[in-house]
Amino acid sequence: MLRISNLHKTYLKAVEPTLRGLSLEFPRPTIAGLLGPNGAGKTTTISILCGLVRPDSGTVEVLGADIRTDLERIKKRIGVVPQSIALYPPLSVRENLEYIGALYKIPGTILQQRIRHFLQLFGLDHTGSKAIRYFSGGMKRRANIIASLLHEPELLVLDEPTAGVDVQSRNLILQFLEDYHGQGHSIIYTSHLLEEAQQLCREVAIMDHGQLVVQGDPRLLMKDHGFSSLEQVFLHLTGISLRD
Amino acid sequence: MKKIIATFWNECRLFIRDITGMVLLFLMPLGLTIIMALIQDAPFREYQHIRFEILWLDADKGQLAENLREGLEETGQFRLIDSLDGRPLDTVAVKAAIQGGRYKIGIIVPRSISAEVVNSANQVANELGKSLGAAGKLPERPTRQATVEIYFDPVTKQAMKSALLNALDKQLTKVQAEMILGRLSRKMEDLDSTGVSQFNLEEKLQAVRLREFAAGSRKGPQLSSNSVQHNVPAWAIFGLFFIIVPISGNMIREREEGSLMRIRMVPGSYLSILAGKLLFYVLLGTAQFYMMLVAGLLILPHLGLPALVMGQAPAALLVTALAIAITATAYGLLVGAVFQTPNQALPFGAISIVILSAIGGIWVPVEILPPGLQQLAKASPMYWALDAINDLFLRHGNLKTVATHMGILSIFSACFLFIAGWIENYRKK
Ligand SMILES: Nc1ncnc2c1ncn2[C@@H]1O[C@H](COP(=O)(O)OP(=O)(O)OP(=O)(O)O)[C@@H](O)[C@H]1O
Ligand SMILES: [Mg+2]
């Protein structure tokens, strides 16, 4: 589902490299967690695999296709939920979704069906013409997720989808991810909430300073390192010093 | 195609959401155009319709002074004033009023000047009559120099001085010629045995006249530039270029707010999305441009100005308006691509438009700029835009006439878009 090998990236005006030979692999379709402290390079990695950022060197294969040669095919098959709310604040959620759906060339009636379905599923069907700008944090996050689902991607990539949302919203989102995986789709997601990752992910990769620290089944990782929580493993491996 | 249309509608929706911005985008340039046409009305009429006040001191009280006065008043450009604060003028008062800047021009006609002109006319008539064999002699004496004194306030423009001096000179020559001819005619009558003159010298000498004609084909009404003809298209173009403010602002906002990120993740080329945006802004700019022309047509006549005359090539006008709108939009995309924040883009965008408009002949017609600046004007897309409109409105041009302009505007647009694309691509790194 995802294979990254020896990935390097230094941003144009940055003093330090962001990715320094990152290699990791999630071979089977699963719910995978990409974990790491602030500034570890998670968002950069996700930006590279969806073509927003060009790597300096290294190879990335998404769903068996190379990003350098098959980016267009990859774009059609993955949905990326950005860390920030990537929607038009003055427009209603429906207007946002209609536009994004049209850009993915989803036929009108199917698009309307899907919009109705997801708005209901994420509890946004009552928002009417209210602009996204006036949504609560949780509502914005949910709308942000729907916008990446309209084209029914095989692989859903989420960058901190539960950042800054209340318990109800978080539960709804996590439940959705479980269900979506249950319907045969793959998921990669990043988070700082290790308890959440521990519950949700069948597989995690912990990275730090642009490199892989460890990867594997979270339960096995806890067992191997002799800890009862993923957080303890994480702190043990990445240290307690601040990153930014 | 679907992406273009979807993007076009999305831009419409975003635009409609911002009602205030929408109203301002249309009303501000409209207000600007009307105000500029009104305040530049006076300078444009300066040597046509406005009357300048001249202090007129007539110490001569004779034929010549009277003729000069009539001649100046006939031009319609000058109004002669012969008393100040209820008192008749004298030399001291004239000089003081000019010195103090209260009046711009003063003319003092000296006491004996009519007598001097009569004397010289008599001299000429006597001389000519003698060679023709006419009898009798008109009274004459040796010539004494007489000078009409003219005083100018130093701020008086050179063009204005020349206009007045020309008018006076012409009048003086005319009066002298008339006197000489009148005396000669009388002498000829004396020669003629019947005593009835069959020959009017003055009339014969008026056979050749001057009249102004237009160089263009006589297809429509003959026009010369006036405040409305210059200002309405000029400020309409200026206002259209201000569309770069919402364009660059929206681009930067899209980048900052993240919606651009989502658009870039969509499969397929970003070009069709860009085309949808371009289409929207080009149509918006064209609509705004036409609205200002219509204001020139319908509103300005109610404010005491002449109505705008729009030429006879509506298709060519539409093409020109579209080309100008494309150039402005492309420039907006470039500004939006170059700058990171609205605080950078807004001042740069606005001031660069003012600069491009100043060198492009929007503020004052390029014709009256010095030669160096006239060459520089060609570096501004607004110069080509305004010249194309002038071709259509004033010179009865058509699509063929403005083809060069359209070509040059297209080159500007292509360059702007190319650089913008290059910068956007660079950002990916
Ligand atoms: N466009 C950019 N230009 C320069 N440096 C950048 C850019 N984007 C990210 N960085 C730097 O790269 C490093 C990694 O950033 P990245 O956003 O990938 O980390 P992250 O793991 O997602 O962190 P977080 O948990 O805070 O989201 C950071 O030090 C950041 O400052
Ligand atoms: Mg991040």
Side-chain angles (χ1 to χ4, degrees), chain A residues 72 85-86 88 95 144 148, chain B residues 13 17 254 257 262-263 268:
Chain A
E72 284 307 305
I85 308 298
Y88 291 95
E95 288 169 329
N144 201 33
S148 308
Chain B
R13 275 173 166 169
R17 278 313 124 82
E254 275 196 347
E257 284 168 354
R262 191 173 289 283
I263 291 173

Side-chain angles (χ1 to χ4, degrees), chain B residues 266-389:
Chain B
V266 171
S269 163
Y270 181 65
L271 273 182
S272 46
I273 291 170
L274 199 65
K277 287 179 191 292
L278 255 167
L279 180 69
F280 171 76
Y281 284 109
V282 166
L283 292 184
L284 185 69
T286 310
Q288 189 210 44
F289 184 74
Y290 268 91
M291 188 195 70
M292 292 202 267
L293 295 188
V294 169
L297 206 62
L298 303 179
I299 299 178
L300 291 183
H302 292 290
L303 301 175
L305 294 174
L308 180 72
V309 177
M310 306 223 287
Q312 278 99 25
L317 179 60
L318 181 63
V319 172
T320 307
L322 286 171
I324 301 171
I326 290 172
T327 315
T329 305
Y331 185 56
L333 293 176
L334 174 61
V335 172
V338 170
F339 294 103
Q340 307 267 10
T341 69
N343 277 346
Q344 297 169 351
L346 240 75
F348 176 87
I351 293 174
S352 68
I353 292 174
V354 173
I355 293 172
L356 285 178
S357 69
I359 62 174
I362 301 291
W363 298 76
V364 288
V366 169
E367 293 75 38
I368 67 174
L369 295 178
L373 283 181
Q374 290 199 16
Q375 286 307 310
L376 183 65
K378 293 179 179 159
S380 166
M382 284 189 233
Y383 166 81
W384 298 100
L386 186 58
D387 202 51
I389 296 287

Side-chain angles (χ1 to χ4, degrees), chain B residues 81-398:
Chain B
I81 295 175
D82 44 20
S83 65
L84 255 185
D85 309 323
R87 269 182 298 164
L89 287 173
D90 56 38
T91 314
V92 179
V94 170
K95 287 184 184 172
I98 302 294
Q99 184 71 33
R102 205 173 146 197
Y103 285 89
K104 299 262 176 291
I105 304 164
I107 298 176
I108 298 175
V109 186
R111 191 184 306 281
S112 52
I113 196 154
S114 286
E116 202 49 49
V117 174
V118 169
N119 184 48
S120 52
N122 284 355
Q123 287 174 345
V124 176
N126 282 340
E127 199 58 34
L128 282 173
K130 205 164 67 189
S131 58
L132 289 169
K137 193 168 187 254
L138 297 167
E140 62 165 271
R141 57 168 169 75
T143 301
R144 290 176 220 136
Q145 278 300 326
T147 309
V148 176
E149 295 172 23
I150 305 169
Y151 297 91
F152 287 113
D153 180 4
V155 305
T156 312
K157 288 183 203 148
Q158 189 54 47
M160 167 80 189
K161 282 188 188 178
S162 312
L164 178 72
L165 292 174
N166 281 337
L168 280 176
D169 201 30
K170 188 180 155 204
Q171 200 59 23
L172 202 58
T173 314
K174 190 175 159 221
V175 171
Q176 284 178 324
E178 274 173 8
M179 277 192 189
I180 293 167
L181 289 174
R183 276 159 174 72
L184 264 182
S185 293
R186 244 185 294 140
K187 287 213 158 253
M188 310 272 273
E189 269 170 44
D190 295 346
L191 275 179
D192 196 338
S193 55
T194 62
V196 183
S197 173
Q198 301 294 318
F199 192 77
N200 187 335
L201 255 176
E202 274 182 57
E203 198 179 85
K204 293 291 163 212
L205 282 175
Q206 280 173 8
V208 178
R209 292 171 183 222
L210 294 178
R211 188 171 150 199
E212 185 186 327
F213 284 96
S217 59
R218 305 258 340 158
K219 238 176 21 182
Q222 198 49 51
L223 271 175
S224 61
S225 193
N226 59 39
S227 177
V228 171
Q229 286 306 129
H230 172 73
N231 281 301
V232 172
W235 296 104
I237 291 168
F238 182 76
L240 200 164
F241 265 82
F242 256 82
I243 206 170
I244 77 148
V245 171
I247 294 176
S248 56
N250 283 352
M251 276 182 69
I252 291 169
R253 214 174 310 132
E254 275 196 347
R255 208 157 51 220
E256 283 185 336
E257 284 168 354
S259 36
L260 178 70
M261 191 194 307
R262 191 173 289 283
I263 291 173
R264 293 243 315 260
M265 290 187 307
V266 171
S269 163
Y270 181 65
L271 273 182
S272 46
I273 291 170
L274 199 65
K277 287 179 191 292
L278 255 167
L279 180 69
F280 171 76
Y281 284 109
V282 166
L283 292 184
L284 185 69
T286 310
Q288 189 210 44
F289 184 74
Y290 268 91
M291 188 195 70
M292 292 202 267
L293 295 188
V294 169
L297 206 62
L298 303 179
I299 299 178
L300 291 183
H302 292 290
L303 301 175
L305 294 174
L308 180 72
V309 177
M310 306 223 287
Q312 278 99 25
L317 179 60
L318 181 63
V319 172
T320 307
L322 286 171
I324 301 171
I326 290 172
T327 315
T329 305
Y331 185 56
L333 293 176
L334 174 61
V335 172
V338 170
F339 294 103
Q340 307 267 10
T341 69
N343 277 346
Q344 297 169 351
L346 240 75
F348 176 87
I351 293 174
S352 68
I353 292 174
V354 173
I355 293 172
L356 285 178
S357 69
I359 62 174
I362 301 291
W363 298 76
V364 288
V366 169
E367 293 75 38
I368 67 174
L369 295 178
L373 283 181
Q374 290 199 16
Q375 286 307 310
L376 183 65
K378 293 179 179 159
S380 166
M382 284 189 233
Y383 166 81
W384 298 100
L386 186 58
D387 202 51
I389 296 287
N390 281 341
D391 272 353
L392 295 178
F393 287 6
L394 296 177
R395 302 179 193 122
H396 305 296
N398 52 32

